[in-house]
Amino acid sequence: MQFIFLGQKWIGLRTIIMRLTCMFSFILLFGAAGLVVFIHLQDPEDIVHQQTPGIKYNMGPQQPKKQDCTSSNNQDVRIRKNSAEALAIGNQRSSLYPPVNAPTKLQSTDRKQNIMFVMKDHPKKDAEINPIGLHKRRRRFIIKKSPILIAMNSSSLNLPMLKSEDRNNNNWKSLYQIQRERKRIMRDTCSKYKSNNRRIITPYHVSRIFVEDKYRILYCEVPKAGCSNWKRVLMVLNGLASSTKDIQHNTVHYGNYLKRLDGFDRKGIYHRLNTYTKMLFIREPFEKLVSAFRDKFEHPNNYYHPVFGKAIISRYRVNASKEALRTGSGVKFKEFIQYLLDVHRPVGMDIHWDHVNRLCSPCLIDYDFVGKFESMEEDANFFLHLIGAPQNLTFPRFKDRHSNEERTTTKITQSYFAQLSPAQRQHSYDFYYMDYLMFNYSKPFEDLY
């Protein structure tokens, strides 16, 4: 037997090998345990977009610090960090519309499907996030309890439907059929392009949704699609003002008079998602993008210029002047598109040009009413009629920002995209492809495929 002199002792070679083997095994186990803890501490929102599925819909009766139409980007970061403390909610509810004829197989499978939600109370929305405290909360969440799964079935409440006297009105009937068709296309797109795994809804998914309790409305705001005026309408419905004309722009966006759905506890979120009328208004994606660019980069802005403009100019402009690099002003549309399509963006995504599919999660939340900016007045007033709003309340059409400037139209949009190469236009279309498909918008250029 071989011995090795170590210090003042002779130790057997076999003993040394055994000790080294034990030490190596301990290091491997320790590393594996550390990896497991690391995975558990990851923000679930980083995983949600990879695994968040849509489901087949029941075909029977169902149911940034610059604020504009939403809160600041800083708040977005806080919301994303808090998404671990999530709720999860689910299922289909009765829709605003009568049954739609659909294949029997789809009906039979969808009636059985429940939507599962993980629910957990989360901190007050305006509270400052302490990184140490957040880590401790996540650690307690991992060690002490597992997520609570709650299955929700169809809503037992009846949602607004056409009144008997409206059924002979050809205009109301036509608008009603348009809504049915929009929902059908949205459901079919979700069923075709989203997987059928269990759906998880976090506070992030409902952070864009405003609540009006008196008329039981949930409104998902989509920037540059009439959201400022919709907030005015909700404030009037809530009794906070007598007329939409009385509400100034700063009151709408900085007053915090309207409640957000993620500000409620899990029971409040559960109840409202299951019983309130949920609606959103959308806009042609390229037109919405150009509208956002004109608003944020072609006018003085003390948030978007220093935060986004400086990063865009620094990355994509050759021989940029010191003044441009210092202020971030004068971003060109082509540079903006380069930023948008760059998978390694120098600065993150913003709600004003993000996909509606991510802003409002229509494959997770079954919206009862889908309006379009292009037919805003007609759609909005039809919705107000359906919910029984006061007859003297109509949707406002005034433009309270840059009111002397022409609204972004199809013609203006095409003039901006004409500055791009065919490949850039195609990649931009690919970027918003799901929004074009889900909301049935035509290709904006003939050479797109």
Side-chain angles (χ1 to χ4, degrees), residues 235-253:
M235 291 174 71
V236 171
L237 289 173
N238 203 36
L240 299 172
S242 58
S243 171
T244 55
K245 296 179 181 180
D246 300 333
I247 308 173
Q248 300 299 315
H249 177 83
N250 286 347
T251 303
V252 170
H253 296 296

Side-chain angles (χ1 to χ4, degrees), residues 65-134:
K65 192 81 171 168
K66 170 71 179 175
Q67 294 190 4
D68 189 355
C69 290
T70 65
S71 54
S72 69
N73 283 344
N74 292 334
Q75 182 181 4
D76 288 345
V77 172
R78 294 199 300 270
I79 291 170
R80 290 178 186 271
K81 286 183 178 178
N82 273 329
S83 60
E85 318 194 16
L87 69 119
I89 311 169
N91 169 15
Q92 314 306 26
R93 55 182 280 208
S94 300
S95 105
L96 183 62
Y97 317 104
V100 179
N101 293 330
T104 305
K105 181 179 180 181
L106 188 60
Q107 290 181 348
S108 62
T109 57
D110 290 347
R111 288 197 186 103
K112 297 177 183 178
Q113 185 157 4
N114 291 332
I115 299 176
M116 309 298 293
F117 292 84
V118 181
M119 290 190 168
K120 186 174 187 293
D121 291 334
H122 49 285
K124 293 182 180 179
K125 185 171 65 173
D126 295 330
E128 290 297 326
I129 298 302
N130 184 329
I132 297 177
L134 180 60

Side-chain angles (χ1 to χ4, degrees), residues 1 12 103 123 126 133 148 156 170 195 198 202 210 242 251 274 278 282 296 299 329 338 371-372 392 411 419 425 429:
M1 183 168 180
D126 295 330
I148 303 171
S156 59
N170 290 332
S195 65
R198 185 172 59 194
T202 70
F210 285 89
S242 58
T251 303
N274 225 23
K278 303 180 290 293
I282 41 88
K296 305 306 178 189
H299 299 89
S329 301
Q338 286 179 281
K372 290 191 173 185
N392 63 343
K411 184 177 179 180
Q419 304 170 26
R425 286 198 296 270
Y429 177 70

Side-chain angles (χ1 to χ4, degrees), residues 138-149:
R138 286 177 174 171
R139 186 170 59 190
R140 287 200 303 270
F141 180 75
I142 293 169
I143 295 174
K144 291 187 176 181
K145 63 172 72 175
S146 298
I148 303 171
L149 297 180

Side-chain angles (χ1 to χ4, degrees), residues 156-193:
S156 59
L157 301 182
N158 292 323
L159 294 173
M161 297 186 68
L162 279 177
K163 300 175 184 178
S164 56
E165 59 268 26
D166 294 334
R167 293 173 184 169
N168 295 324
N169 185 311
N170 290 332
N171 185 47
W172 293 138
K173 288 170 61 177
S174 174
L175 293 172
Y176 207 85
Q177 292 300 321
I178 289 173
Q179 282 299 313
R180 291 180 61 189
E181 180 65 11
R182 287 176 183 171
K183 277 189 56 86
R184 182 193 66 78
I185 293 172
M186 191 167 67
R187 287 197 302 265
D188 290 351
T189 303
C190 290
S191 296
K192 182 176 181 180
Y193 291 94

